[in-house]
Amino acid sequence: MLNDHLEADLKELREAFNSGKTKETSWRISQLNGLLRILEDRENDISMALKQDLGKHHVEAYRDEIGTVVKTVNNALVNLKQWMAAKKTRLPIAAFPSTASLVPEPLGVVLIISSWNFPIGLSLEPLIGALAAGNAVVLKPSELAPACSSLLAETIRDYLDNSAVKVIEGGSDKGERLLQYKFDKIFFTGSTRVGKVVMSSAAQHLTPVTLELGGKCPAVVGSFSSSRENNMAVKRIVWGKFGLCAGQACIAVDYILTEKKNLSNLVESLKRYIKQCYGDDPNGSHSISKIVNKKHFSRLKSLLDEPMVKSSVVYGGSLDEESLFIEPTILVDPPIHATIMTEEIFGPLLPVITLESIEDSINFIRARPNPLALYAFTENESLQKRLVSETSSGSIMFNDTILQYAVDTLPFGGVGGSGFGRYHGKYSFDNFSHEKVVMMRGFLVDFWFRYPPWTAQKLQLLKAGLRYDYLGVLLIALGLKSKA
Amino acid sequence: MEALSPLREGPDPNEAAMDVAGDLSKSMIKFYRRYPSITHRQHRSFSLQIHASLCRLMLTITMASEEQVKNSTAPAMFDTEAANCLMKELRSTFLAGKTKSYEWRSSQLKSLLKMLEDSDKQICDALFSDLSKPEMEAYIHEIAMIKSSCKLALKKLKDWMKPEKAKTNLGTFPSSAEIVPEPLGVVLIISAWNYPLLLSVDPVIGAIAAGNAVVLKPSELAPAMSSLLAKLLGKYLDNSAIKVVEGAVPETSALLEQKWDKIFYTGNGRVARVVMAAAAKNLTPVVLELGGKSPVLVDSNIDLTVTARRIVSGKWGCNNGQACVAPDYIITTKQYAPVLIDSLKHHLVKFFGEDPMNSPDMSKVGHSRHFARLKKLLDDDKISGKIIHGGQTDKSNLKIAPTIVLDAPEDSLIMSEEIFGPLLPIVTVEKIEDGVEFINSRPKPLAAYLFTNTKQLKEEFVSNISAGGVVINDVTLHLMVDTLPFGGVGESGTGAYHGKFSFDAFSHKKAVLYRGFFGDAPARYPPYTPGKLRLLKALLDGSLFGIIRALFGFS
């Protein structure tokens, strides 16, 4: 049980980091290229593993995981030198003559714990940031996506520098053992419950953490004058719910908020569009993922089994335990206190909650923990403004879903219950870097008024110096002015 | 909760006295008008009577207000229930949206500035009573620092609050994106005793600028400043959103049970672990501003006078070594050590006189527990005979003389924990480059300093040594510059603040992406086909040619 070389592995990583090789630009580039090669050479194997673990369609696998990660690696390769460059800053006169810059430096040996729903994307996306920033890395993929986990272990061993990047596979006991060790950063993607465990363990070593959690992401749906806009909104919601690993995504739409008068129209469009996407036999369409395992299947099943919930189902609702398949399901106004409306659903069940007025959505959202993402379909600018300023969430997307994840120039991360810390693009690099302040001075100029014993004139000079009041300093120093 | 800021409820004794004096002088004028023929003697006795009664009045008011303080602080047990109440009140203020407006933030910052301007004297007195801090230090390191950070926040607030535009890529075209800073909610700031004003108010400025409701817990080890802060913040700031909770361990524990949206802690690694573990229960992000042994590496090709005085002022002239960025120990070559030591001694005398224990320009040791700890470092057998300067202690006045220790062994107490006091060990190495290795073999410090004129050594130092901040040819100066983030790494902490970085530390950067309903890649939607896969590959690679090819179906 314990002869798995964990200790030796971690020691090797520490030595690799201390040797300084991971700091070299050439090393970082070679590792990122190695990742690119994995994604190119092994695209099919990755797709197969995703199919096996989650029943993900090849297009979905490419769109959400392989392709997105290729884009991220390319972005990192193009920008790496710029990210690594020191930034110059302005200084006050008390520090004259000197220069200051912010030098990004790697944190050390970092731990990335990823999750099973996007087992490739959520492992490699942070890994790219950690490598670009020059760290040694332990990646622990989720044991609940075993095919992807072992594929990652195998490919990373073959394509990357093994002394500085290691995949450590295993379940929660392995995770707990890993957390006993000191890392310089822990990047965790997963549930709130485990997030708390991770952070408590990190506290023992004062290790900074990034927690990428989830939450119930609402979609506020207003009414549209044209049916074209209405249809597009519905399309984008259906995609943002069922099209991403069957709703098993941290930024998937969790539930819809809409006006009572809009309800029948919305539900009809949803039904029509679900049929168009997945046909009459969604289980046989292969365009929708399965539920990851029995445990999650029965969790979702029990959500439907609560009193008054099943009766609110207006579409779908069929389950097949054998193939771990749950049909895209729409529920209208399930009880607000039922589990389906208090916990993150993480599956293909879509409750629609009706409100008297669309403005009521603001209070509805505010009364609940901060979601990772908020979606709103409306062209009403005042409502848009109110949603931005009066609600709090990791991100807000208007008139579409999910795409904010793919924009490298936007930080991705939660707030409150949905986690903290952010990544993607340059933010990933920053997440795994420490911005070191470097100030350089010479010996030539040294103001005598910096040193004790203290006199009133020194006080005035320092006051002027701290205010960047160059003339003031000069006048006081020359004895022409007595008060700063 | 009223018990927390008792002075706010009662009349301000000075103000009341002024009112009374005003009334009296008015009635005197009336009196003279009515009796224009009053004699000189009558006038004199009348004035004396008035003066006497005025004195009595002021005395009563002052005593009454002192009484009020005693009564209200004594029974104010801050327990879990009190913390619940406090949180409820602040949460409802925050949810009402009051703290988010620009007007509220700037008005609070303005009052804060006014508070600092009105209370110079009281602040210096409190710092003197807690730490014997010289007025110059009090002014430069505390008052001036927060005044300038408050002014900067006021000047830049609108800029900071503005959403930042972000470019979007082809995959999400057409759309526009911005990053909107928003307040986190209700935040807790726990500060330290060594710079009890600066380390309390500086983060409060960031929290207010970012639009949060705030609780400040000043250190109980600087009691005069703690109660002054409670009084002043209670008087000048909006008490429905900004509160001071005074107290020690039980009060802090009660506070830590609450769910905060951010905890900003300044102090030591031991307590930081407790704070972070408590924060983990509620998934609260933390900023930890800790310390560590900040080394100074001194090469031999330097301007000795400038180097020595910069080190002496950074070590003993900043709260007598009780600063998180103070130089902790020096590393230099065996050969150069005697020269450097002579110069250090020379500047010690120049700055603080022959009898530094009685110099008005040097702070005392913070409190008796801390004094005992420093005494233990000095009494360690492992450094006996190695004290080459100073070493005198005065328990009753909490004074320790500036002390230099040469070649303390690595396993001595003084070389294994943060000193945080007027003791300066000097470690000697064969070659100056060995110093880099020495520093790297220890936990990451908050600051690392190097004095040299060799370019290569500078580069090696900057690229190989990990620390919160690095200063070449000076010490502690980076702390004063608000364009630089201030914070640690590894054992010296996480998160950074000062200037805009303070605003960021208390803000969430919300990504906001706007789209219209035109332009949509069909490849996004099921049912999935090979053509859609091609299009997607092109979109994600961002190659325009590929997109056109895919859209028009050539392949």
Side-chain angles (χ1 to χ4, degrees):
Chain A
M1 179 63 210
L2 287 174
N3 56 1
D4 55 358
H5 318 298
L6 190 55
E7 196 129 346
D9 281 352
L10 294 173
K11 200 164 158 250
E12 194 187 344
L13 287 166
R14 185 64 66 187
E15 279 162 7
F17 179 75
N18 287 343
S19 79
K21 72 171 167 184
T22 64
K23 281 188 181 177
E24 303 295 331
T25 316
S26 56
W27 185 87
R28 305 187 197 194
I29 291 175
S30 74
Q31 298 309 300
L32 292 173
N33 278 324
L35 275 181
L36 214 48
R37 280 208 310 284
I38 295 179
L39 295 161
E40 278 160 10
D41 294 359
R42 310 296 293 271
E43 186 188 326
N44 278 330
D45 296 335
I46 296 173
S47 278
M48 292 302 291
L50 285 167
K51 183 87 195 165
Q52 195 181 328
D53 286 336
L54 299 154
K56 260 188 204 179
H57 190 280
H58 193 52
V59 172
E60 197 181 320
Y62 188 84
R63 183 192 63 207
D64 298 345
E65 309 212 39
I66 306 164
T68 313
V69 176
V70 168
K71 175 213 62 162
T72 306
V73 182
N74 281 327
N75 184 49
L77 280 167
V78 168
N79 292 305
L80 187 62
K81 288 232 167 94
Q82 199 190 329
W83 293 345
M84 286 172 68
K87 274 186 282 178
K88 291 253 173 273
T89 46
R90 197 177 69 107
L91 294 173
I93 193 173
F96 177 84
S98 44
T99 58
S101 53
L102 300 179
V103 178
E105 63 173 27
L107 295 169
V109 182
V110 302
L111 171 64
I112 296 170
I113 303 177
S114 72
S115 78
W116 52 263
N117 55 337
F118 293 85
I120 304 294
L122 296 178
S123 298
L124 299 190
E125 194 79 40
L127 180 61
I128 293 165
L131 295 174
N135 296 281
V137 191
V138 174
L139 169 66
K140 198 203 91 56
S142 169
E143 75 283 12
L144 299 179
C148 289
S149 171
S150 65
L151 183 67
L152 282 168
E154 181 211 318
T155 52
I156 286 176
R157 191 190 58 225
D158 293 349
Y159 287 80
L160 301 188
D161 175 358
N162 249 285
S163 64
V165 188
K166 290 190 190 294
V167 175
I168 293 181
E169 291 190 87
S172 60
D173 51 332
K174 182 59 82 54
E176 270 168 34
R177 277 190 51 216
L178 266 173
L179 287 173
Q180 302 299 314
Y181 292 92
K182 179 177 167 61
F183 290 94
D184 296 297
K185 176 106 193 192
I186 300 178
F187 188 104
F188 170 78
T189 307
S191 70
T192 305
R193 190 185 55 78
V194 182
K196 289 179 184 176
V197 176
V198 169
M199 191 173 168
S200 313
S201 317
Q204 300 314 307
H205 300 290
L206 291 176
T207 302
V209 288
T210 290
L211 301 178
E212 295 288 343
L213 314 174
K216 290 182 82 66
C217 304
V220 177
V221 183
S223 48
F224 292 96
S225 47
S226 90
S227 64
R228 180 179 163 274
E229 285 171 357
N230 193 52
N231 287 340
M232 262 178 126
V234 167
K235 242 167 114 168
R236 288 171 176 176
I237 293 170
V238 167
W239 172 65
K241 176 72 183 183
F242 308 107
L244 285 111
C245 202
Q248 302 169 99
C250 50
I251 49 170
V253 173
D254 192 280
Y255 63 94
I256 289 177
L257 293 171
T258 194
E259 283 182 1
K260 267 205 173 68
K261 61 177 199 282
N262 197 22
L263 178 70
S264 63
N265 183 21
L266 178 67
V267 171
E268 285 318 305
S269 318
L270 283 169
K271 286 182 188 170
R272 199 172 56 240
Y273 194 67
I274 291 172
K275 273 214 177 95
Q276 196 183 319
C277 281
Y278 304 108
D280 287 327
D281 173 24
N283 196 359
S285 78
H286 299 293
S287 280
I288 188 164
S289 303
K290 63 170 186 168
I291 304 305
V292 60
N293 58 19
K294 277 227 160 64
K295 197 176 124 210
H296 276 272
F297 184 89
S298 45
R299 181 184 61 82
L300 287 162
K301 184 164 177 289
S302 72
L303 292 182
L304 288 175
D305 288 343
E306 275 184 46
M308 310 279 292
V309 173
K310 197 155 245 170
S311 58
S312 68
V313 172
V314 297
Y315 183 83
S318 74
L319 299 90
D320 177 19
E321 189 153 2
E322 191 69 25
S323 60
L324 295 178
F325 177 80
I326 296 181
E327 192 188 357
T329 300
I330 303 172
L331 306 93
V332 171
D333 282 326
I336 289 295
H337 300 293
T339 316
I340 196 168
M341 279 312 294
T342 55
E343 275 175 25
E344 187 176 3
I345 297 171
F346 225 67
L349 314 176
L350 179 63
V352 181
I353 305 294
T354 58
L355 305 165
E356 285 305 326
S357 149
I358 198 69
E359 314 268 325
D360 296 344
S361 59
I362 290 171
N363 282 333
F364 192 93
I365 295 163
R366 282 169 60 119
R368 291 166 172 70
N370 313 17
L372 184 55
L374 166 63
Y375 302 108
F377 290 84
T378 176
E379 291 195 305
N380 173 346
E381 274 181 28
S382 80
L383 181 63
Q384 288 190 347
K385 273 211 183 94
R386 282 195 63 194
L387 282 165
V388 171
S389 70
E390 292 176 36
T391 68
S392 176
S393 56
S395 58
I396 297 189
M397 164 118 221
F398 288 103
N399 298 326
D400 210 328
T401 54
I402 315 299
L403 292 183
Q404 78 275 23
Y405 183 87
V407 181
D408 291 315
T409 47
L410 288 177
F412 181 81
V415 60
S418 49
F420 56 83
R422 52 208 177 132
Y423 72 130
H424 283 195
K426 169 84 160 51
Y427 299 98
S428 293
F429 177 85
D430 292 343
N431 195 316
F432 289 102
S433 296
H434 163 58
E435 229 176 21
K436 181 165 67 180
V437 167
V438 176
M439 248 180 115
M440 302 256 191
R441 300 209 68 201
F443 293 104
L444 275 179
V445 181
D446 202 37
F447 292 117
W448 48 272
F449 55 79
R450 264 183 66 189
Y451 305 107
W454 302 124
T455 63
Q457 197 193 10
K458 286 182 181 175
L459 184 66
Q460 297 310 332
L461 276 166
L462 276 159
K463 277 186 184 178
L466 277 171
R467 280 195 327 213
Y468 304 23
D469 181 359
Y470 303 83
L471 186 66
V473 171
L474 193 68
L475 292 177
I476 298 164
L478 294 173
L480 297 174
K481 196 177 161 201
S482 65
K483 224 173 153 54
Chain B
M1 254 349 69
E2 284 72 18
L4 288 174
S5 42
L7 286 157
R8 184 164 43 93
E9 264 71 47
D12 181 332
N14 294 326
E15 250 171 48
M18 287 304 284
D19 287 348
V20 173
D23 288 345
L24 275 171
S25 60
K26 269 183 213 150
S27 48
M28 270 169 78
I29 291 166
K30 267 189 204 157
F31 181 79
Y32 289 134
R33 281 209 185 115
R34 193 175 292 173
Y35 305 108
S37 57
I38 197 161
T39 64
H40 183 69
R41 181 173 287 180
Q42 278 171 322
H43 165 80
R44 207 180 141 76
S45 85
F46 182 63
S47 311
L48 278 173
Q49 274 174 32
I50 289 181
H51 183 76
S53 55
L54 203 59
C55 287
R56 265 201 308 277
L57 188 76
M58 283 185 70
L59 195 67
T60 350
I61 294 173
T62 317
M63 277 170 61
S65 70
E66 269 170 12
E67 189 82 10
Q68 197 182 9
V69 175
K70 260 187 226 147
N71 287 344
S72 49
T73 44
M77 247 307 282
F78 189 83
D79 52 11
T80 306
E81 202 179 315
N84 285 340
C85 279
L86 173 86
M87 180 50 95
K88 214 167 146 191
E89 187 191 345
L90 290 175
R91 185 69 66 192
S92 78
T93 308
F94 179 75
L95 286 177
K98 181 180 185 183
T99 61
K100 275 192 183 179
S101 75
Y102 169 78
E103 288 69 29
W104 185 85
R105 305 184 199 193
S106 64
S107 77
Q108 295 308 302
L109 292 173
K110 276 180 196 147
S111 316
L112 200 56
L113 203 55
K114 184 160 186 320
M115 173 189 111
L116 295 168
E117 266 150 21
D118 294 354
S119 327
D120 261 27
K121 175 90 180 57
Q122 281 166 285
I123 291 171
C124 288
D125 289 350
L127 286 169
F128 190 80
S129 133
D130 287 334
L131 298 157
S132 304
K133 215 173 247 197
E135 194 189 337
M136 184 81 169
E137 275 190 37
Y139 186 80
I140 299 299
H141 296 152
E142 309 223 34
I143 302 173
M145 289 274 290
I146 43 177
K147 261 192 194 166
S148 86
S149 98
C150 206
K151 281 182 187 159
L152 181 82
L154 273 167
K155 196 171 135 202
K156 300 277 181 158
L157 189 57
K158 276 207 173 126
D159 275 353
W160 293 348
M161 287 173 71
K162 256 190 214 136
E164 201 184 305
K165 287 274 169 233
K167 274 200 314 190
T168 52
N169 57 10
L170 217 47
T172 51
F173 180 83
S175 53
S176 68
E178 57 186 7
I179 301 165
V180 180
E182 62 177 30
L184 294 168
V186 186
V187 301
L188 172 65
I189 294 166
I190 303 176
S191 75
W193 56 265
N194 56 333
Y195 284 85
L197 178 76
L198 174 72
L199 299 178
S200 300
V201 180
D202 215 4
V204 167
I205 291 168
I208 293 174
N212 297 279
V214 193
V215 171
L216 167 67
K217 214 297 284 168
S219 170
E220 75 281 11
L221 298 176
M225 184 53 79
S226 172
S227 72
L228 182 65
L229 281 168
K231 183 180 129 190
L232 291 178
L233 264 55
K235 185 173 155 200
Y236 283 87
L237 300 184
D238 175 357
N239 276 274
S240 66
I242 302 162
K243 306 226 183 242
V244 176
V245 175
E246 290 191 80
V249 176
E251 289 80 3
T252 312
S253 311
L255 285 170
L256 285 175
E257 284 167 19
Q258 298 296 317
K259 180 177 162 48
W260 303 92
D261 296 300
K262 183 111 193 185
I263 300 176
F264 188 105
Y265 170 76
T266 308
N268 63 53
R270 191 179 49 77
V271 178
R273 285 172 166 82
V274 177
V275 169
M276 188 169 169
K281 294 200 177 90
N282 295 307
L283 293 172
T284 302
V286 289
V287 170
L288 304 175
E289 295 287 343
L290 315 176
K293 290 182 83 66
S294 301
V296 189
L297 184 60
V298 183
D299 198 358
S300 53
N301 59 356
I302 45 160
D303 181 329
L304 182 62
T305 308
V306 174
T307 302
R309 68 182 182 210
R310 283 178 182 173
I311 295 174
V312 170
S313 98
K315 175 76 183 183
W316 291 284
C318 295
N319 203 22
N320 210 357
Q322 303 168 100
C324 50
V325 289
D328 192 280
Y329 62 95
I330 289 179
I331 308 175
T332 191
T333 57
K334 277 205 167 53
Q335 218 178 356
Y336 196 61
V339 186
L340 178 66
I341 290 165
D342 277 347
S343 186
L344 290 173
K345 284 184 189 168
H346 169 75
H347 281 96
L348 273 171
V349 174
K350 200 170 159 195
F351 290 172
F352 305 107
E354 294 289 349
D355 179 16
M357 304 272 272
N358 289 315
S359 163
D361 293 330
M362 192 179 273
S363 303
K364 66 172 181 178
V365 172
H367 47 93
S368 55
R369 214 169 63 207
H370 194 53
F371 182 89
R373 191 186 59 80
L374 287 166
K375 186 88 175 46
K376 213 169 92 194
L377 299 187
L378 276 178
D379 294 346
D380 184 6
D381 285 343
K382 292 195 171 112
I383 63 161
S384 71
K386 295 182 187 291
I387 298 174
I388 55 164
H389 183 81
Q392 302 85 342
T393 58
D394 173 1
K395 196 173 174 190
S396 57
N397 291 314
L398 296 179
K399 292 263 185 176
I400 295 180
T403 301
I404 300 176
V405 182
L406 184 63
D407 284 326
E410 272 203 58
D411 60 344
S412 61
L413 286 175
I414 202 167
M415 281 311 293
S416 33
E417 59 181 81
E418 186 178 0
I419 298 170
F420 219 68
L423 321 176
L424 179 68
I426 296 180
V427 175
T428 54
V429 287
E430 291 297 333
K431 302 194 305 299
I432 195 71
E433 288 77 18
D434 298 346
V436 174
E437 206 173 301
F438 185 90
I439 297 168
N440 267 338
S441 66
R442 306 168 146 261
K444 297 177 183 178
L446 184 56
Y449 307 114
L450 167 69
F451 286 85
T452 186
N453 265 322
T454 317
K455 191 160 175 255
Q456 202 192 340
L457 184 60
K458 285 183 195 172
E459 280 167 7
E460 194 189 332
F461 195 83
V462 169
S463 66
N464 287 334
I465 285 176
S466 180
V470 167
V471 181
I472 311 286
N473 292 336
D474 210 327
V475 294
T476 67
L477 213 57
H478 61 304
L479 175 90
M480 299 223 169
V481 181
D482 51 30
T483 48
L484 298 176
F486 179 74
V489 59
E491 287 284 317
S492 52
T494 21
Y497 73 131
H498 284 189
K500 170 80 168 20
F501 302 97
S502 292
F503 177 85
D504 292 343
F506 289 102
S507 295
H508 163 58
K509 297 296 181 76
K510 183 158 69 177
V512 182
L513 188 56
Y514 296 88
R515 293 210 74 199
F517 287 105
F518 38 90
D520 220 5
R524 280 172 58 186
Y525 305 109
Y528 300 125
T529 61
K532 288 184 177 178
L533 181 62
R534 259 200 314 281
L535 179 56
L536 265 167
K537 286 189 175 178
L539 276 175
L540 289 168
D541 284 350
S543 117
L544 202 59
F545 179 67
I547 295 166
I548 295 168
R549 214 171 60 154
L551 280 172
F552 288 89
F554 310 135
S555 58

